Amino acid sequence: MAQFITFQPSDFFNLITYAGNTSTNAVTGVGFQPDFVWNKSTTDVLYHYAFDTARGATEAIFPNGTDTEAIGANYLTAFDSDGFTLGDNTSLNGTGKDFVSWNWKGGTSSGIATNGSTTITPSAYSFSQTAGFAALAYTGNATAGAKLAHGLGATPTMAFVKNLGTTDDWACYQKYIKATAPEDWWISTNSTPEALDNVAMWNDTQPDDVNITLGNGTSVNASTNTYIMYCFAPIKGHSIFGRYMGNATTDGIFVPTNFRPKFIVIKRLDGTTGWVMISNPPNTENLDADNPLLYLNSTAIQSTVSYVKVDFVS
């Protein structure tokens, strides 16, 4: 008899808002212990901050910038059962500032699957095959065609990589970045250029259900350099990745997701506009109104743009 596994998407992803207090701040309401926490002030011009259990609390990276990893005792100090605890860093927890936090749950931190092709096993990781998410810490080997085990048990559709010790750009893989040979291309989250063709990123090789292939570029795989990768596979009713063609009309187009999304990220592939991040707060009506948005590649505050309207539908 076939078995069907069901789960609540909010068991593995949730967004919350919180107010800073420039003191110890135990932020709750996530609903689970997160393994990847991404925070941004909505009211002040401040960096995006990202933390994960693969590297450990207090170790921050910055999705909007090329900065190296920074360790701060007053950053995020603990991953808690229903959220996380912050120190008094004002960029994450300043009095009078409001913040949004996106949170993902992994949970599996041992026993990652490898095969005869695997050449890099992550040094630390947390993944969930149920939710299609993995945070992978690894050391590069500067070998074109290196195979990094990802643990998802399904082929990744999207991955973000950052060299922790250099100011290289973030490197993003997306299965639908181009209609053909998407593995030849990459795009940066910290800037706005169009997608670029570069074999040094993914070695012009598609990932599979065990490994993601790396080139020998310093952004993804320099010798002895340390990296973090956030890797995603689509899960029906929980997450989806794709591309669409705009129509430049007020009514816009319908993009099917087969569920009502809570968080949408959009990047124009044939232009230099920024990465738009739009959150759908819980328990709100679906109104045809300007959506508050943030930009992944920018420190700008949350704002509304008259030509950005998204109806979050089922």
Side-chain angles (χ1 to χ4, degrees):
M1 179 181 295
Q3 293 183 334
F4 297 91
I5 299 174
T6 60
F7 66 94
Q8 291 294 326
S10 59
D11 291 341
F12 292 91
F13 171 78
N14 202 5
L15 70 90
I16 60 170
T17 58
Y18 66 92
N21 64 10
T22 320
S23 183
T24 300
N25 191 357
V27 179
T28 60
V30 172
F32 52 83
Q33 179 173 311
D35 291 288
F36 176 28
V37 177
W38 182 344
N39 294 356
K40 171 71 176 79
S41 173
T42 57
T43 55
D44 288 77
V45 178
L46 295 168
Y47 265 44
H48 295 247
Y49 280 71
F51 303 87
D52 57 80
T53 56
R55 292 176 301 122
T58 76
E59 301 183 33
I61 49 176
F62 312 98
N64 65 281
T66 62
D67 307 64
T68 60
E69 179 184 59
I71 299 175
N74 65 343
Y75 289 166
L76 185 148
T77 61
F79 299 94
D80 304 325
S81 60
D82 188 31
F84 49 87
T85 299
L86 300 171
D88 62 3
N89 179 274
T90 56
S91 293
L92 283 164
N93 186 30
T95 300
K97 297 177 173 65
D98 294 327
F99 298 84
V100 63
S101 177
W102 304 279
N103 298 265
W104 287 261
K105 179 181 179 180
T108 300
S109 56
S110 63
I112 194 168
T114 60
N115 60 21
S117 298
T118 304
T119 55
I120 301 177
T121 300
S123 56
Y125 50 86
S126 182
F127 66 83
S128 168
Q129 293 188 349
T130 301
F133 164 72
L136 312 168
Y138 67 95
T139 300
N141 64 11
T143 301
K147 304 282 188 178
L148 171 68
H150 55 68
L152 294 178
T155 302
T157 302
M158 194 164 194
F160 299 90
V161 183
K162 181 67 180 76
N163 187 326
L164 300 176
T166 74
T167 56
D168 284 279
D169 285 327
W170 285 75
C172 174
Y173 165 81
Q174 216 265 27
K175 179 180 178 180
Y176 303 99
I177 198 168
K178 292 289 181 179
T180 59
E183 64 276 6
D184 293 2
W185 299 80
W186 74 287
I187 196 166
S188 171
T189 65
N190 54 266
S191 57
T192 61
E194 300 178 34
L196 301 172
D197 188 346
N198 190 343
V199 68
M201 295 301 181
W202 321 116
N203 204 51
D204 292 358
T205 305
Q206 294 184 21
D208 59 35
D209 59 358
V210 175
N211 301 302
I212 186 165
T213 302
L214 306 174
N216 59 1
T218 58
S219 290
V220 297
N221 188 25
S223 179
T224 72
N225 284 202
T226 55
Y227 296 85
I228 187 69
M229 174 184 287
Y230 303 121
C231 202
F232 301 86
I235 301 294
K236 186 177 181 179
H238 177 64
S239 60
I240 191 168
F241 308 85
R243 58 182 284 150
Y244 66 90
M245 183 69 71
N247 63 10
T249 67
T250 301
D251 188 41
I253 64 167
F254 173 69
V255 180
T257 61
N258 297 313
F259 60 92
R260 188 181 188 188
K262 184 177 284 190
F263 179 44
I264 299 173
V265 180
I266 302 170
K267 174 68 177 80
R268 180 176 171 180
L269 296 174
D270 59 351
T272 57
T273 53
W275 292 74
V276 177
M277 308 171 73
I278 306 172
S279 298
N280 182 24
N283 305 315
T284 59
E285 295 296 327
N286 190 44
L287 302 175
D288 183 20
D290 296 344
N291 300 98
L293 57 87
L294 291 163
Y295 294 98
L296 194 163
N297 55 282
S298 171
T299 60
I301 66 172
Q302 182 173 272
S303 61
T304 58
V305 180
S306 60
Y307 52 81
V308 178
K309 293 184 179 181
V310 176
D311 289 333
F312 291 81
V313 298
S314 60

